[in-house]
């Protein structure tokens, strides 16, 4: 059944990633798509513009309207909405996909970043919804779909990136409030992935290698398609992509895996992720905390671990890694340690690194020992709040090579 033929979708952030995937899925039905995004000229690191997205939409049989829009700007949103109504006769579906992310702690997050996340995620979603709703109310089966998570108040999802969580949950609160406010008139729902999704933004956060433990954007576009085909009475739901696709009869989810057979990286804000992490290979992701300059003991389990690290280091590992690591450990064997896998043949020891660290890892000394012994997976350490990371995420992933070499010696 062609669900979206002739429908008009207003999608923010649709020039790339999940937003574009939803647009292309709708285009196959012959839908009209308003591409409301900022990228009018090619970005040096991120693929796609509103114009290239429009070309792809029309090549699949849809009609496109590219609009240069900063979702924080009321005038730009208003003009894009009016252009959509003039060109297509109305708006049937709004997808609030545009989002900003900065996974840092309170002291490390500049107010400029805080304002950006609150402006794009919360204000942008509220503003775009407000300006589209008068037109949605005229549609036969209107929908608002926000790409945002369930409202999970577990402190673990706040402690490492409070500003991002507040901003993202702002989108979810729009779902909670507007679903009730417009019940019977507009379906308002949220969609969130169970696992990490391979996008340019994800690669910027976690490095190119993280893609192997992601699903592709098709799972989100298929899930969105399932939601948008439902009646307006389907409202107020916080939908997980895999769960709704199971109800649609999908059984083989390997079709969505970037690298079938690899363990998948769980996404944020889902407590169920812990069960998924149990089956994962080692993988480190995000956050931040500020260390201090405490001295470290020269004997004990941590010192023994670092003696083994010194024996493992070699020019090949240094060349392939290219990073300086600082470990700020608390607990029974508190102290500061470092591994230099960037200079010469590499070095490791207690105290501050000889040069500025590229990555700072903060955790309890007991968990550090378990992690390097292969008894605690870095992802589980992070997901449980035991590990916090500041710096280059790709370097955190590269360190796994050395950890795998050490497992047999610890």
């Amino acid at each position: 059944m062609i669900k979206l033929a002739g429908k008009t979708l207003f999608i923010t952030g649709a020039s790339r990633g999940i937003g574009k995937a939803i647009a292309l899925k709708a285009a196959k039905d012959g839908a009209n798509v308003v591409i409301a995004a900022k990228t009018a000229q090619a970005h040096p690191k991120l693929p796609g513009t509103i114009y290239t997205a429009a070309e792809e939409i029309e090549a699949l049989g849809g009609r496109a309207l590219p609009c240069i829009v900063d979702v924080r700007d009321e005038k730009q949103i208003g003009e894009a909405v009016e252009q959509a109504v003039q060109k297509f006769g109305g708006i049937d579906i709004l997808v609030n996909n545009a989002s900003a992310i900065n996974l840092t702690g309170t002291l490390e997050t500049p107010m400029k970043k805080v304002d950006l996340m609150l402006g794009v995620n919360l204000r942008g979603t509220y503003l775009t919804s407000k300006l589209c709703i008068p037109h949605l109310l005229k549609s036969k089966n209107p929908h608002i779909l926000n790409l945002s998570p369930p409202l999970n108040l577990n402190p673990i999802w706040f402690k490492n990136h409070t500003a991002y969580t507040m901003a993202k949950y702002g989108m979810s609160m729009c779902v909670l409030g507007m679903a009730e406010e417009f019940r019977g008139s507009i379906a308002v729902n949220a969609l969130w992935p169970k696992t990490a999704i391979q996008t340019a933004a994800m690669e910027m956060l976690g490095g190119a290698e993280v893609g192997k433990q992601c699903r592709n954007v098709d799972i989100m576009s298929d899930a969105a398609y399932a939601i948008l085909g439902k009646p307006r009475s389907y409202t107020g739901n916080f939908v997980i992509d895999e769960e709704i696709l199971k109800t649609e009869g999908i059984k083989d989810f390997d079709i969505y895996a970037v690298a079938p057979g690899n363990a998948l990286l769980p996404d944020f804000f889902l407590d169920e992720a812990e069960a998924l992490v149990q089956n994962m290979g080692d993988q480190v992701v995000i956050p931040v905390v500020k260390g201090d300059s405490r001295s470290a003991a020269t004997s004990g389990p941590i010192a023994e671990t670092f003696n083994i690290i010194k024996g493992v280091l070699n020019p090949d590992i240094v060349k392939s890694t290219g990073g300086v690591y600082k470990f700020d450990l608390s607990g029974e064997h508190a102290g500061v340690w470092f591994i230099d896998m960037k200079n010469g043949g590499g070095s490791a020891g207690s105290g501050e690194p000889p040069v500025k660290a590229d990555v700072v890892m903060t955790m309890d000394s007991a968990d550090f020992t378990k992690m390097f012994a292969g008894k605690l997976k870095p992802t589980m350490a992070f997901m449980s709040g035991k590990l916090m990371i500041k710096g280059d995420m790709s370097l955190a992933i590269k360190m796994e090579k050395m950890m795998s070499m050490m497992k047999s010696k610890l």
Side-chain angles (χ1 to χ4, degrees):
M1 182 177 65
I2 299 177
K3 300 178 180 180
L4 303 179
K7 300 284 188 180
T8 297
L9 289 77
F10 191 105
I11 307 177
T12 64
S15 61
R16 62 177 66 93
I18 294 170
K20 190 180 81 169
I22 295 173
L24 296 179
K25 182 78 175 180
K28 293 177 182 178
D29 277 3
N32 309 314
V33 182
V34 182
I35 308 157
K38 290 176 63 178
T39 309
Q41 296 182 338
H43 189 282
K45 295 183 179 179
L46 300 173
T49 68
I50 58 175
Y51 303 113
T52 57
E55 291 173 358
E56 292 182 57
I57 288 166
E58 293 181 345
L60 291 173
R63 298 172 65 198
L65 174 63
C67 296
I68 302 174
V69 167
D70 181 338
V71 294
R72 296 170 293 177
D73 190 313
E74 185 172 2
K75 184 174 182 292
Q76 290 184 18
I77 289 290
E79 290 175 349
V81 168
E82 289 308 312
Q83 288 178 46
V85 173
Q86 290 174 16
K87 184 177 179 67
F88 300 127
I91 297 174
D92 301 291
I93 294 167
L94 166 63
V95 179
N96 285 306
N97 166 72
S99 185
I101 183 170
N102 194 69
L103 295 166
T104 50
T106 301
L107 298 180
E108 292 78 23
T109 310
M111 285 312 299
K112 182 178 179 180
K113 293 288 188 180
V114 176
D115 292 341
L116 174 65
M117 288 188 285
L118 291 174
V120 173
N121 301 1
L122 171 54
R123 187 178 191 277
T125 295
Y126 186 91
L127 171 61
T128 307
S129 300
K130 177 181 175 67
L131 297 184
C132 284
I133 284 172
H135 303 286
L136 291 169
L137 289 170
K138 299 174 184 178
S139 174
K140 292 181 180 179
N141 189 36
H143 278 259
I144 295 175
L145 181 63
N146 293 355
L147 276 294
S148 63
L151 287 165
N152 185 346
L153 297 183
N154 186 334
I156 191 174
W157 304 118
F158 290 82
K159 63 177 290 186
N160 297 330
H161 39 74
T162 298
Y164 174 64
T165 299
M166 290 193 304
K168 205 65 188 175
Y169 278 15
M171 297 177 70
S172 300
M173 292 173 75
C174 286
V175 171
L176 191 68
M178 293 179 189
E180 197 61 33
E181 182 178 0
F182 297 100
R183 184 174 294 276
S185 300
I186 303 173
V188 186
N189 297 287
L191 174 63
W192 193 248
K194 182 175 182 178
T195 70
I197 303 297
Q198 185 187 42
T199 62
M202 176 58 71
E203 289 188 4
M204 288 180 70
L205 285 171
E209 289 298 309
V210 77
K212 295 178 181 179
Q213 292 183 292
C214 294
R215 284 174 171 163
N216 60 45
V217 293
D218 291 343
I219 191 170
M220 288 294 282
S221 62
D222 286 354
Y225 188 77
I227 295 170
L228 299 176
K230 293 185 179 296
R232 72 180 74 188
S233 58
Y234 184 83
T235 191
N237 300 288
F238 291 88
V239 181
I240 304 303
D241 56 358
E242 183 176 309
E243 293 176 5
I244 192 168
L245 290 177
K246 284 180 179 178
T247 68
E248 296 288 308
I250 302 296
K251 296 180 180 180
D252 180 12
F253 287 89
D254 282 346
I255 61 173
Y256 297 115
V258 173
N262 278 18
L264 295 169
L265 192 63
D267 207 348
F268 289 102
F269 307 118
L270 303 178
D271 286 343
E272 294 87 348
E274 291 192 16
L276 182 61
V277 171
Q278 298 285 357
N279 299 317
M280 292 179 59
D282 290 350
Q283 178 68 54
V284 179
V285 201
I286 17 237
V288 200
V289 130
K290 188 175 182 179
D292 57 35
S293 57
R294 290 169 293 155
S295 60
T298 56
S299 61
I302 304 300
E304 292 174 7
T305 299
F306 272 86
N307 285 334
I308 295 174
I309 291 173
K310 291 176 184 178
V312 170
L313 288 175
N314 60 60
D316 288 338
I317 290 180
V318 172
K319 183 178 179 180
S320 63
T321 305
V324 177
Y325 301 77
K326 173 182 173 181
F327 299 89
D328 186 5
L329 306 181
S330 58
E332 184 178 357
H333 302 285
V336 173
W337 299 78
F338 74 90
I339 304 175
D340 182 351
M341 290 190 283
K342 189 175 186 178
N343 302 291
S347 61
S350 63
E352 294 287 334
V355 295
K356 182 179 179 181
D358 299 300
V359 180
V360 179
M361 297 186 175
T362 303
M363 63 191 309
D364 187 273
S365 55
D367 293 324
F368 173 87
T369 303
K370 291 177 183 177
M371 192 170 73
F372 272 81
K375 297 178 181 179
L376 175 64
K377 296 177 180 178
T379 301
M380 179 59 79
F382 166 71
M383 295 296 291
S384 61
K386 294 180 179 179
L387 170 64
M388 291 176 283
I389 303 171
K390 178 181 179 180
D392 188 334
M393 296 301 109
S394 64
L395 288 176
I397 295 171
K398 286 182 179 180
M399 192 181 69
E400 294 176 13
K401 181 178 179 181
M402 182 183 68
M403 292 173 64
S404 65
M405 294 178 64
M406 291 182 58
K407 287 180 183 177
S408 62
K409 300 184 178 182
L410 284 170

Coordinates of all heavy atoms in Angstrom, one line a residue, residues 233-265:
S233 N -5.2 8.7 15.7 CA -5.4 8.2 17.0 C -4.1 7.5 17.6 O -4.1 7.4 18.8 CB -6.5 7.2 17.0 OG -6.2 6.1 16.1
Y234 N -3.2 7.2 16.8 CA -1.9 6.7 17.2 C -1.0 7.8 17.6 O -0.3 8.5 16.8 CB -1.2 5.9 16.1 CG 0.1 5.2 16.5 CD1 0.0 3.9 17.2 CD2 1.3 5.8 16.3 CE1 1.2 3.3 17.6 CE2 2.5 5.1 16.7 CZ 2.4 3.9 17.3 OH 3.6 3.3 17.7
T235 N -1.0 8.2 18.9 CA -0.4 9.4 19.4 C 0.2 9.3 20.8 O -0.2 8.4 21.5 CB -1.4 10.6 19.3 OG1 -0.7 11.8 19.5 CG2 -2.4 10.5 20.4
G236 N 1.2 10.1 21.1 CA 1.8 10.1 22.4 C 2.7 8.9 22.7 O 3.1 8.6 23.8
N237 N 3.2 8.3 21.6 CA 4.1 7.1 21.7 C 5.6 7.5 21.6 O 5.9 8.3 20.7 CB 3.7 6.1 20.7 CG 2.3 5.6 20.8 OD1 1.9 4.9 21.7 ND2 1.4 6.1 19.9
F238 N 6.4 6.9 22.4 CA 7.8 7.0 22.3 C 8.3 5.6 21.7 O 8.5 4.7 22.4 CB 8.5 7.3 23.6 CG 8.2 8.7 24.1 CD1 7.0 8.9 24.9 CD2 9.0 9.7 23.8 CE1 6.7 10.2 25.3 CE2 8.7 11.0 24.2 CZ 7.5 11.2 25.0
V239 N 8.5 5.7 20.4 CA 8.7 4.4 19.6 C 10.2 4.1 19.4 O 11.0 5.0 19.1 CB 8.0 4.6 18.2 CG1 8.2 3.3 17.4 CG2 6.5 4.9 18.4
I240 N 10.5 2.9 19.6 CA 11.9 2.4 19.3 C 11.8 1.7 18.0 O 11.0 0.9 17.7 CB 12.4 1.4 20.4 CG1 12.3 2.1 21.8 CG2 13.8 0.9 20.1 CD1 13.1 3.4 21.9
D241 N 12.8 2.0 17.1 CA 12.7 1.5 15.7 C 12.5 0.0 15.6 O 11.6 -0.4 14.9 CB 14.0 2.0 14.9 CG 15.3 1.5 15.6 OD1 15.3 0.9 16.7 OD2 16.4 1.8 15.0
E242 N 13.3 -0.7 16.3 CA 13.3 -2.2 16.1 C 11.9 -2.7 16.6 O 11.3 -3.6 16.0 CB 14.4 -2.8 16.9 CG 14.4 -4.4 16.8 CD 15.6 -5.0 17.5 OE1 16.8 -4.5 17.3 OE2 15.4 -5.9 18.3
E243 N 11.4 -2.1 17.7 CA 10.1 -2.6 18.2 C 8.9 -2.5 17.3 O 8.1 -3.4 17.1 CB 9.8 -1.9 19.6 CG 10.8 -2.3 20.7 CD 10.6 -1.6 21.9 OE1 9.6 -0.8 22.0 OE2 11.4 -1.7 22.9
I244 N 8.8 -1.3 16.6 CA 7.7 -1.1 15.7 C 7.9 -1.9 14.5 O 6.9 -2.4 13.9 CB 7.5 0.4 15.4 CG1 6.1 0.6 14.7 CG2 8.6 0.9 14.5 CD1 5.7 2.0 14.6
L245 N 9.1 -2.1 14.0 CA 9.3 -2.9 12.8 C 9.0 -4.4 13.1 O 8.6 -5.1 12.2 CB 10.7 -2.8 12.3 CG 11.0 -1.4 11.7 CD1 12.5 -1.2 11.3 CD2 10.1 -1.1 10.5
K246 N 9.2 -4.9 14.3 CA 8.8 -6.2 14.6 C 7.2 -6.4 14.5 O 6.8 -7.4 14.0 CB 9.2 -6.6 16.1 CG 10.7 -6.9 16.2 CD 11.0 -7.2 17.7 CE 12.5 -7.5 17.8 NZ 12.9 -7.8 19.2
T247 N 6.5 -5.3 14.9 CA 5.0 -5.4 14.7 C 4.6 -5.3 13.3 O 3.5 -5.7 12.9 CB 4.3 -4.2 15.5 OG1 4.7 -3.0 14.9 CG2 4.8 -4.2 16.9
E248 N 5.5 -4.8 12.4 CA 5.3 -4.8 11.0 C 5.7 -6.1 10.3 O 5.6 -6.2 9.0 CB 6.0 -3.6 10.3 CG 5.6 -2.2 10.8 CD 4.2 -1.8 10.3 OE1 4.0 -1.9 9.1 OE2 3.3 -1.5 11.1
G249 N 6.2 -7.0 11.0 CA 6.5 -8.3 10.5 C 8.0 -8.5 10.1 O 8.4 -9.5 9.6
I250 N 8.8 -7.5 10.5 CA 10.3 -7.6 10.2 C 10.9 -8.6 11.2 O 10.7 -8.4 12.4 CB 11.0 -6.3 10.2 CG1 10.4 -5.3 9.2 CG2 12.5 -6.4 10.0 CD1 10.5 -5.7 7.8
K251 N 11.6 -9.6 10.8 CA 12.3 -10.6 11.6 C 13.8 -10.5 11.5 O 14.5 -10.8 12.5 CB 11.7 -12.0 11.4 CG 10.2 -12.1 11.7 CD 9.8 -13.5 11.4 CE 8.3 -13.7 11.7 NZ 7.8 -15.0 11.4
D252 N 14.3 -10.2 10.3 CA 15.7 -10.3 10.1 C 16.3 -8.8 10.1 O 16.1 -8.1 9.2 CB 16.0 -10.9 8.7 CG 17.5 -10.9 8.4 OD1 18.3 -10.7 9.3 OD2 17.8 -11.1 7.2
F253 N 16.9 -8.5 11.2 CA 17.4 -7.1 11.4 C 18.9 -7.0 10.9 O 19.4 -5.9 10.9 CB 17.3 -6.7 12.8 CG 15.8 -6.3 13.2 CD1 15.0 -7.3 13.6 CD2 15.3 -5.1 12.9 CE1 13.7 -7.1 13.9 CE2 14.0 -4.8 13.2 CZ 13.2 -5.8 13.7
D254 N 19.5 -8.1 10.5 CA 20.8 -8.1 9.9 C 20.8 -7.2 8.6 O 21.9 -6.7 8.2 CB 21.3 -9.5 9.6 CG 21.8 -10.2 10.9 OD1 22.0 -9.5 11.9 OD2 22.0 -11.4 10.8
I255 N 19.7 -7.1 8.0 CA 19.6 -6.3 6.7 C 19.9 -4.9 6.9 O 20.3 -4.2 6.0 CB 18.2 -6.5 6.0 CG1 17.1 -5.9 6.9 CG2 17.9 -7.9 5.6 CD1 15.7 -5.9 6.3
Y256 N 19.8 -4.4 8.2 CA 20.1 -3.0 8.5 C 21.5 -2.8 9.1 O 21.9 -1.7 9.2 CB 19.1 -2.5 9.6 CG 17.7 -2.5 9.1 CD1 16.7 -3.4 9.7 CD2 17.2 -1.7 8.1 CE1 15.4 -3.4 9.3 CE2 15.9 -1.7 7.7 CZ 15.0 -2.5 8.3 OH 13.7 -2.5 7.9
A257 N 22.2 -3.9 9.3 CA 23.6 -3.8 9.9 C 24.6 -3.3 8.9 O 24.6 -3.8 7.7 CB 24.0 -5.1 10.5
V258 N 25.4 -2.4 9.3 CA 26.5 -1.9 8.4 C 27.4 -3.1 8.1 O 27.9 -3.3 7.0 CB 27.2 -0.7 9.0 CG1 28.4 -0.3 8.2 CG2 26.2 0.5 9.1
A259 N 27.8 -3.8 9.2 CA 28.7 -5.0 9.1 C 28.0 -6.1 9.8 O 28.2 -6.4 11.0 CB 30.0 -4.7 9.7
P260 N 27.1 -6.9 9.0 CA 26.4 -8.0 9.6 C 27.3 -9.0 10.4 O 28.4 -9.3 9.9 CB 25.8 -8.7 8.4 CG 25.6 -7.6 7.4 CD 26.8 -6.8 7.6
G261 N 26.9 -9.4 11.6 CA 27.7 -10.3 12.4 C 28.5 -9.6 13.5 O 28.8 -10.2 14.5
N262 N 28.7 -8.3 13.3 CA 29.4 -7.5 14.4 C 28.4 -7.1 15.5 O 27.2 -6.9 15.3 CB 30.0 -6.2 13.8 CG 31.3 -6.4 13.1 OD1 31.6 -7.6 12.8 ND2 32.1 -5.4 12.9
A263 N 29.0 -7.0 16.7 CA 28.2 -6.6 17.9 C 27.7 -5.1 17.6 O 28.5 -4.3 17.0 CB 29.0 -6.6 19.1
L264 N 26.5 -4.8 18.0 CA 26.0 -3.5 17.8 C 26.1 -2.6 19.0 O 26.0 -3.0 20.2 CB 24.5 -3.6 17.5 CG 24.2 -4.3 16.1 CD1 22.7 -4.6 16.0 CD2 24.6 -3.5 15.0
L265 N 26.4 -1.3 18.7 CA 26.6 -0.3 19.8 C 25.2 0.2 20.2 O 24.4 0.7 19.4 CB 27.4 0.8 19.2 CG 28.0 1.9 20.2 CD1 29.0 1.2 21.1 CD2 28.7 3.0 19.4

